C-alpha cells in the first residue's frame, strides 16, 4: 500500500452550518464539534441553505428555546426538498430530552445526538451521507440504570480545540465538570446533562497549557455548579480552590474565571483562594433564583434567603471589590406579589452587577411540572420580568457610575459590538483606531477607542461615562512619570 492510499480522501468543500442556542456549555460543545468536523474536511458557512450538513445544538431549559429550533427545522423541510443530499442533525440537550420525538415532528432530520455522545457525530454524519439512514446516539435516562452506568453513558467531550469558534481568540471555555445532581424542581439540566462528574485536574491542566500555547489569555471554567467541583486523584481530594492554585501556575494565562456557582457550595477556601491569586477574576455568578423562602423551598434549591445573605456577607468581607451576578425566575408557581417584592428587595440589598431574569417555563419531565400548576398568567410574569429588569438596570448604572473618573485594567477582547455592526465598510479611523471592548477583572464591559493591536493585552483605561451594561473610557497615555503622585487609583 502506498502512503497516499492510506489517507482517507477527503471530499473537499463540504460545508457545515451550525446554530447554537443555550448556555456556555453548548457554545463550547459547538466549538468542539466544529473542530472534529474540520478534520473531516468541513469548512464553516453562515448560509444554512448552502450547507451540506446543518447542525442545531439545542437547549431545553425553557420552552421558547425549543420552539425556536422546531421552527428552524420546519424551514429546513423546504430546503431539503431542493437539497435531498443535505444531512440535518439535532444535537445537545433537546436531542437527549426529546429523542425520537424529533424524527416524528421533523422527519427530514437525519441524526439525533445527545450531550453525552458528541464524539459520535463525525461517524454519524459520514454514515448518513453514504447510506441515508437515520441514526440516534443518546445517553441513558437518570433512572435507567445504576448511577455508574448512567454516568458512563454521558462522556465529557473535550477533544482538540477550534480557535475560530471561541468567544474571542484570547478567551477559551474549559469544561471542568459535566452534569448536575441538584435537581431543582423546575430544571431539565440533570436529565439532559446527566449525573455530576468532575474531570481530572491533570486533563484540565494539560488542556489549559495547550490553550495558553495557542495565545489564550483568559480561561473560563465551566460547570453547572462549578464550585461543587471535586475529584480524587492519587488518593487526594481536589476542590475548585485546589484546581485554581494549579491553573494559576500555567504561563501565558492572565485571568481565570469560573461559572456558574451554587450558593450552598461557596466555601471560604474558595473565596480566600480568589483573594490570594492575582489571576483570579473578582467575579462570581451565584444565582439566588428567588428572594422568598417559600418559593425557594418549592424549587428545592437547598438554601434559604438567610443562608444566601450569609454567603454574600462572606463574599463582601473576603473580596470587597468582587462583582456578583445572579439569575431569577419570575412567575414560578407559588410566587405571590409579596414573594416577588422579596426578590426585588434582594436585588436592592445585594446590588448585583447584573441579573439574568427568566419567566418560569413549565418543563415536562421535571418535578415542578408534575407537582405544581403553572398558575401565574403570562401577563403577570411579563410585568414582573420588566419591573425587575428596570430595577436591576438602575442599580447596574448607579454602580457603574462609581467608576467614572477612575482607572481600570482591562483584558482587550476585540472590536466592540457597535464596531462589528459597522463592519463591511472600512470602519477604521484614519489613525487606525477602532472601538474596542474588554473586561475588567470584575467582569465589567469597557468600550474605548484604540489600535486593534491592543487585542489580547491588559490595558489601562480611564472611565468617563457609563450605561447599565458598559463603562466607556479612553486609553491612559502617560508620558514619563515620577513616582505615583497624581495617578488615578487602579480599580480591579
Ligand atoms: N446551573 C445553573 C443554571 C443553569 S440553567 C445554576 O444552577 O445556577 C440557567 C438558568 O435558567 C437558571 O439559573 C434559571 O434561572 C433558569 N431556568 C432554569 N429552568 C427554568 C425554567 N423551567 N423556567 C425558567 N427559567 C429556568
Ligand atoms: Fe438546574 Fe439547579 Fe442544576 Fe442549576 S443547580 S443546573 S438550576 S438543577
Ligand atoms: Fe440549555 Fe442544556 Fe445549557 S438545557 S441551559 S443548553 S445545559
Amino acid at each position: 500500500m502506498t502512503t497516499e492510499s492510506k489517507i482517507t480522501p477527503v471530499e473537499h468543500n463540504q460545508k457545515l452550518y451550525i446554530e447554537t442556542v443555550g448556555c456556555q456549555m453548548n457554545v463550547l460543545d459547538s466549538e468542539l464539534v466544529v473542530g472534529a468536523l474540520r478534520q473531516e474536511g468541513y469548512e464553516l458557512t453562515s448560509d444554512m441553505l448552502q450547507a451540506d450538513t446543518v447542525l442545531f445544538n439545542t437547549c431545553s431549559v425553557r420552552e421558547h428555546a425549543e420552539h425556536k429550533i422546531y421552527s428552524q427545522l420546519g424551514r429546513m423541510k423546504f430546503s431539503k426538498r431542493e437539497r435531498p443530499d443535505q444531512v440535518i442533525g439535532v444535537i445537545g440537550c433537546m436531542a437527549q430530552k426529546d429523542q425520537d420525538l424529533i424524527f416524528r415532528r421533523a422527519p427530514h432530520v437525519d441524526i439525533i445526538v445527545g450531550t453525552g455522545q458528541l464524539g459520535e457525530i463525525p461517524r454519524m454524519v459520514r454514515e448518513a451521507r453514504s447510506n441515508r439512514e437515520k441514526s440516534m446516539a443518546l445517553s441513558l435516562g437518570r433512572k435507567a440504570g445504576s448511577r455508574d452506568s448512567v454516568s458512563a453513558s454521558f462522556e465529557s467531550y473535550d477533544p482538540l480545540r477550534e480557535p475560530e469558534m471561541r468567544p474571542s481568540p484570547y478567551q477559551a471555555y474549559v469544561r471542568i465538570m459535566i452534569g448536575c445532581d441538584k435537581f431543582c424542581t423546575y430544571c431539565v439540566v440533570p436529565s439532559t446533562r446527566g449525573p455530576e462528574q468532575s474531570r481530572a485536574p491533570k486533563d484540565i491542566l494539560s488542556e489549559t497549557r495547550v490553550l495558553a500555547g495557542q495565545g489564550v489569555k483568559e480561561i473560563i471554567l465551566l460547570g453547572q455548579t462549578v464550585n461543587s467541583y471535586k475529584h480524587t486523584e492519587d488518593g487526594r481530594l481536589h476542590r475548585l480552590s485546589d484546581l485554581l492554585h494549579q491553573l494559576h501556575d500555567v504561563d501565558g494565562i492572565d485571568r481565570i474565571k469560573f461559572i456558574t456557582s451554587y450558593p450552598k457550595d461557596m466555601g471560604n477556601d474558595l473565596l480566600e483562594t480568589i483573594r490570594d491569586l492575582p489571576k483570579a477574576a473578582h467575579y462570581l455568578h451565584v444565582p439566588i433564583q428567588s428572594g422568598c423562602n417559600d418559593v425557594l423551598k418549592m424549587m428545592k434549591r437547598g438554601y434559604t434567603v438567610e443562608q444566601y445573605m450569609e454567603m454574600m456577607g462572606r463574599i463582601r468581607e473576603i473580596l470587597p471589590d468582587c462583582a456578583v451576578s445572579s439569575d431569577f425566575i419570575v412567575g414560578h408557581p407559588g410566587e405571590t406579589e409579596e414573594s416577588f417584592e422579596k426578590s426585588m428587595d434582594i436585588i436592592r440589598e445585594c446590588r448585583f452587577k447584573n441579573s439574568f431574569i427568566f419567566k418560569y417555563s413549565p418543563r415536562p419531565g421535571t418535578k415542578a411540572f408534575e407537582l405544581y400548576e403553572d398558575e401565574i398568567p403570562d401577563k403577570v410574569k411579563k410585568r414582573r420580568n420588566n419591573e425587575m429588569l428596570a430595577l436591576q438596570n438602575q442599580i447596574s448604572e448607579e454602580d457603574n457610575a462609581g467608576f467614572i473618573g477612575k482607572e481600570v485594567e482591562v483584558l482587550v477582547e476585540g472590536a466592540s459590538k457597535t464596531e462589528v455592526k459597522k463592519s463591511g465598510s472600512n470602519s477604521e479611523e484614519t489613525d487606525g483606531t477602532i472601538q474596542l471592548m474588554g473586561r475588567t477583572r470584575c467582569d465589567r464591559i469597557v468600550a474605548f477607542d484604540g489600535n486593534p493591536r491592543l487585542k489580547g493585552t491588559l490595558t489601562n483605561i480611564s472611565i468617563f461615562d457609563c450605561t447599565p451594561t458598559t463603562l466607556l473610557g479612553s486609553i491612559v497615555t502617560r508620558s514619563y512619570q515620577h513616582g505615583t503622585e497624581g495617578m488615578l487609583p487602579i480599580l480591579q
Side-chain angles (χ1 to χ4, degrees):
M1 211 194 270
T2 66
T3 333
E4 270 160 27
S5 62
K6 271 194 212 157
I7 301 168
T8 327
V10 172
E11 284 179 65
H12 37 233
N13 287 337
Q14 298 272 46
K15 296 245 184 332
L16 168 70
Y17 173 87
I18 187 161
E19 198 168 299
T20 308
V21 290
C23 62
Q24 290 88 351
M25 264 310 169
N26 263 16
V27 175
L28 173 57
D29 285 340
S30 289
E31 176 188 329
L32 300 174
V33 166
V34 171
L37 286 173
R38 264 186 197 282
Q39 296 195 343
E40 304 262 314
Y42 274 89
E43 57 185 61
L44 277 177
T45 171
S46 53
D47 183 350
M48 185 156 90
L49 302 178
Q50 287 280 309
D52 303 282
T53 296
V54 175
L55 296 179
F56 294 99
N57 194 3
T58 59
C59 170
S60 288
V61 83
R62 283 169 291 277
E63 197 182 10
H64 176 70
E66 293 189 342
H67 274 168
K68 237 164 95 176
I69 297 297
Y70 277 115
S71 52
Q72 282 291 55
L73 288 175
R75 271 179 220 126
M76 290 302 297
K77 184 163 77 182
F78 302 102
S79 78
K80 187 121 183 211
R81 276 189 201 145
E82 281 169 35
R83 288 279 314 268
D85 59 314
Q86 220 170 23
V87 172
I88 302 178
V90 176
I91 68 175
C93 288
M94 196 178 92
Q96 180 62 35
K97 175 176 157 284
D98 283 1
Q99 311 201 343
D100 54 352
L101 174 70
I102 298 170
F103 283 146
R104 281 180 268 137
R105 288 182 68 172
H108 47 293
V109 167
D110 300 283
I111 63 169
I112 294 175
V113 189
T115 55
Q117 303 286 322
L118 301 178
E120 299 296 314
I121 291 175
R123 177 189 58 78
M124 290 169 74
V125 169
R126 226 180 297 132
E127 288 177 5
R129 293 192 74 80
S130 57
N131 63 22
R132 302 304 321 169
E133 269 175 30
K134 293 181 184 303
S135 62
M136 279 202 293
L138 298 166
S139 304
L140 295 176
R142 289 293 303 238
K143 291 182 186 146
S146 67
R147 185 184 164 89
D148 283 353
S149 58
V150 177
S151 294
S153 77
F154 280 88
E155 259 184 53
S156 185
Y157 180 60
D158 304 284
L160 284 172
R161 311 307 287 288
E162 186 55 45
E164 194 183 305
M165 297 281 290
R166 293 201 185 123
S168 85
Y170 317 103
Q171 297 168 293
Y173 292 129
V174 176
R175 191 183 340 256
I176 66 166
M177 293 170 79
I178 59 169
C180 180
D181 281 348
K182 308 294 193 240
F183 287 100
C184 305
T185 53
Y186 52 80
C187 185
V188 293
V189 174
S191 62
T192 63
R193 293 270 168 184
E196 186 180 302
Q197 301 181 69
S198 295
R199 285 179 75 202
K202 64 172 177 345
D203 295 342
I204 298 168
L205 268 166
S206 59
E207 194 176 332
T208 304
R209 286 194 195 103
V210 170
L211 290 165
Q214 292 174 352
V216 167
K217 302 283 176 210
E218 177 179 275
I219 51 167
I220 304 164
L221 309 178
L222 295 185
Q224 291 300 341
T225 54
V226 70
N227 56 335
S228 315
Y229 176 89
K230 52 177 186 297
H231 193 275
T232 307
E233 199 169 65
D234 307 326
R236 207 193 129 208
L237 176 72
H238 294 256
R239 292 171 300 173
L240 180 57
S241 49
D242 305 306
L243 186 63
L244 289 179
H245 276 284
Q246 287 172 283
L247 290 168
H248 203 262
D249 291 338
V250 177
D251 287 336
I253 298 296
D254 290 334
R255 277 204 192 146
I256 310 173
K257 251 187 236 171
F258 53 87
I259 45 176
T260 299
S261 292
Y262 184 64
K264 240 173 92 172
D265 292 335
M266 190 67 78
N268 280 358
D269 65 307
L270 182 57
L271 300 176
E272 283 158 11
T273 299
I274 298 172
R275 180 195 61 199
D276 298 340
L277 296 180
K279 294 179 182 178
H282 283 203
Y283 168 62
L284 294 166
H285 180 205
V286 211
I288 183 167
Q289 311 293 0
S290 168
C292 169
N293 280 336
D294 297 340
V295 177
L296 285 177
K297 203 165 174 192
M298 287 177 80
M299 291 175 164
K300 279 208 162 58
R301 281 291 284 181
Y303 52 81
T304 59
V305 173
E306 292 69 27
Q307 285 167 328
Y308 188 91
M309 292 311 290
E310 185 273 333
M311 173 203 74
M312 279 300 283
R314 285 187 290 115
I315 295 175
R316 297 289 180 233
E317 192 186 316
I318 302 172
L319 298 166
D321 64 351
C322 185
V324 178
S325 65
S326 182
D327 293 1
F328 284 89
I329 297 178
V330 291
H332 188 277
E335 188 190 65
T336 60
E337 282 304 319
E338 205 187 341
S339 340
F340 172 67
E341 284 307 326
K342 288 182 181 166
S343 292
M344 297 284 273
D345 286 342
I346 285 292
I347 295 189
R348 287 185 194 100
E349 230 168 297
C350 295
R351 298 191 76 84
F352 296 116
K353 174 176 78 78
N354 63 298
S355 291
F356 300 93
I357 304 162
F358 307 104
K359 292 187 293 171
Y360 173 69
S361 169
R363 307 285 43 229
T366 61
K367 269 271 173 287
F369 187 83
E370 219 177 274
L371 298 175
Y372 318 130
E373 200 193 326
D374 178 21
E375 59 194 1
I376 316 268
D378 195 52
K379 219 171 71 193
V380 176
K381 288 182 187 170
K382 254 191 207 138
R383 173 181 49 80
R384 290 182 188 169
N385 192 335
N386 290 343
E387 277 181 30
M388 192 177 265
L389 200 60
L391 173 65
Q392 177 61 60
N393 278 344
Q394 181 198 327
I395 287 174
S396 302
E397 191 164 14
E398 280 167 16
D399 287 355
N400 277 351
F403 285 82
I404 295 176
K406 291 181 178 157
E407 198 175 293
V408 295
E409 186 189 63
V410 305
L411 176 66
V412 186
E413 292 177 15
S416 73
K417 275 200 183 135
T418 358
E419 196 65 45
V420 173
K421 271 198 208 127
K422 277 198 268 170
S423 73
S425 63
N426 185 359
S427 59
E428 279 189 20
E429 306 291 336
T430 41
D431 60 353
T433 63
I434 60 167
Q435 193 181 53
L436 294 167
M437 66 79 61
R439 266 170 221 264
T440 65
R441 194 175 173 205
C442 60
D443 201 54
R444 286 188 164 83
I445 298 170
V446 182
F448 56 96
D449 289 338
N451 192 295
R453 274 200 310 266
L454 289 172
K455 289 179 194 174
T457 65
L458 291 170
T459 302
N460 286 344
I461 305 292
S462 166
I463 304 301
F464 59 76
D465 198 2
C466 72
T467 71
T469 54
T470 312
L471 303 176
L472 306 168
S474 50
I475 292 175
V476 177
T477 41
R478 256 189 224 110
S479 48
Y480 188 70
Q481 281 194 328
H482 295 282
T484 53
E485 221 178 317
M487 276 174 70
L488 293 158
I490 297 197
L491 289 187
Q492 297 299 344

